[in-house]
Amino acid sequence: EAQVTQNPRYLITVTGKKLTVTCSQNMNHEYMSWYRQDPGLGLRQIYYSMNVEVTDKGDVPEGYKVSRKEKRNFPLILESPSPNQTSLYFCASSLMSGQGDGYTFGSGTRLTVV
Amino acid sequence: AQSVAQPEDQVNVAEGNPLTVKCTYSVSGNPYLFWYVQYPNRGLQFLLKYITGDNLVKGSYGFEAEFNKSQTSFHLKKPSALVSDSALYFCAVRDMGGGADGLTFGKGTHLIIQP
């Protein structure tokens, strides 16, 4: 089944403790992206990647890192999480950037930073 | 820059009545337009998209949307609402000439269908 898999689904952590949210897709998509969803703000793009070893900042990149060493994986790294990063995170992939292809979304990761 | 506005936080419709969820957009060039639906504790699911061609686009679950270039709108519609349509709906846009720009989403509209 074609899908985007995120792990974990739920995570509670403490301020400053480094964490990684994994994202993997099995559709051979070139384009991958991370979004955070907050009430009243919709989805905001954190980082995106057009292909292996090519990443760039989205609208809200502060406090986050990403890497794209393999085409299928696009982990989101929070080096020193803070409470304002408490949010619902979605990974998404698409066949190509700049084309009329929509995204396939993962099921989401609900992160709470205390 | 590209942007999307969904002017209604919530839309309430009686079951069996037609529904409309509004979306307006802004892009510098021509748009790709999308609607997604999110059910509780789930990711976003693709409903339909407008790329080019016929202004009326049909999608999943009986939904359709009409692209109106002069009004820069892409409203989501359904002739007869079901209780199971209750969910959070997102409109999204991408500028055709936007290069690496990803989708820009609206803030979402809660659709509540009352039995």
Side-chain angles (χ1 to χ4, degrees):
Chain A
E1 179 188 353
Q3 61 186 357
V4 176
T5 303
Q6 287 179 236
N7 281 296
R9 289 293 306 276
Y10 301 92
L11 179 59
I12 300 175
T13 190
V14 296
T15 300
K17 185 176 181 181
K18 180 180 179 180
L19 66 91
T20 299
V21 183
T22 64
C23 174
S24 180
Q25 51 93 5
N26 62 0
M27 296 165 283
N28 203 36
H29 284 171
E30 276 120 354
Y31 188 89
M32 297 186 75
S33 183
W34 277 102
Y35 285 83
R36 60 178 289 174
Q37 182 181 5
D38 301 289
L41 297 177
L43 279 82
R44 294 178 292 168
Q45 191 177 47
I46 302 171
Y47 268 94
Y48 63 90
S49 169
M50 293 182 68
N51 215 324
V52 175
E53 302 293 0
V54 180
T55 64
D56 211 342
K57 297 177 181 179
D59 297 319
V60 288
E62 295 78 20
Y64 304 95
K65 287 175 58 177
V66 293
S67 69
R68 188 93 181 272
K69 294 185 173 65
E70 307 166 279
K71 197 172 188 179
R72 62 184 292 124
N73 295 324
F74 191 45
L76 179 69
I77 303 155
L78 285 71
E79 294 270 2
S80 182
S82 62
N84 65 11
Q85 292 178 297
T86 292
S87 187
L88 179 58
Y89 292 86
F90 288 103
C91 181
S93 72
S94 176
L95 190 59
M96 286 280 284
S97 170
Q99 302 296 315
D101 300 295
Y103 289 177
T104 300
F105 282 86
S107 297
T109 295
R110 186 167 293 279
L111 172 65
T112 302
V113 183
V114 298
Chain B
Q2 56 195 34
S3 65
V4 174
Q6 293 181 242
E8 302 151 318
D9 290 335
Q10 183 170 305
V11 171
N12 295 284
V13 178
E15 187 176 27
N17 283 0
L19 69 87
T20 299
V21 183
K22 295 179 180 177
C23 170
T24 58
Y25 67 90
S26 174
V27 294
S28 56
N30 290 313
Y32 296 126
L33 291 156
F34 303 82
W35 275 101
Y36 286 84
V37 60
Q38 185 181 28
Y39 298 101
N41 300 313
R42 302 288 296 274
L44 277 73
Q45 297 177 31
F46 171 80
L47 272 181
L48 51 80
K49 67 179 179 182
Y50 170 81
I51 303 301
T52 187
D54 194 346
N55 289 344
L56 184 64
V57 178
K58 294 189 183 297
S60 307
Y61 312 120
F63 284 94
E64 58 189 27
E66 185 165 13
F67 171 63
N68 187 317
K69 188 171 184 177
S70 63
Q71 297 184 5
T72 61
S73 67
F74 190 57
H75 301 331
L76 181 70
K77 300 182 180 184
K78 187 173 182 181
S80 178
L82 300 172
V83 172
S84 57
D85 293 330
S86 298
L88 181 59
Y89 290 80
F90 289 98
C91 182
V93 68
R94 173 187 276 160
D95 191 329
M96 282 189 194
D101 288 349
L103 291 180
T104 296
F105 287 83
K107 294 182 179 181
T109 299
H110 285 97
L111 177 62
I112 298 174
I113 309 301
Q114 295 151 334

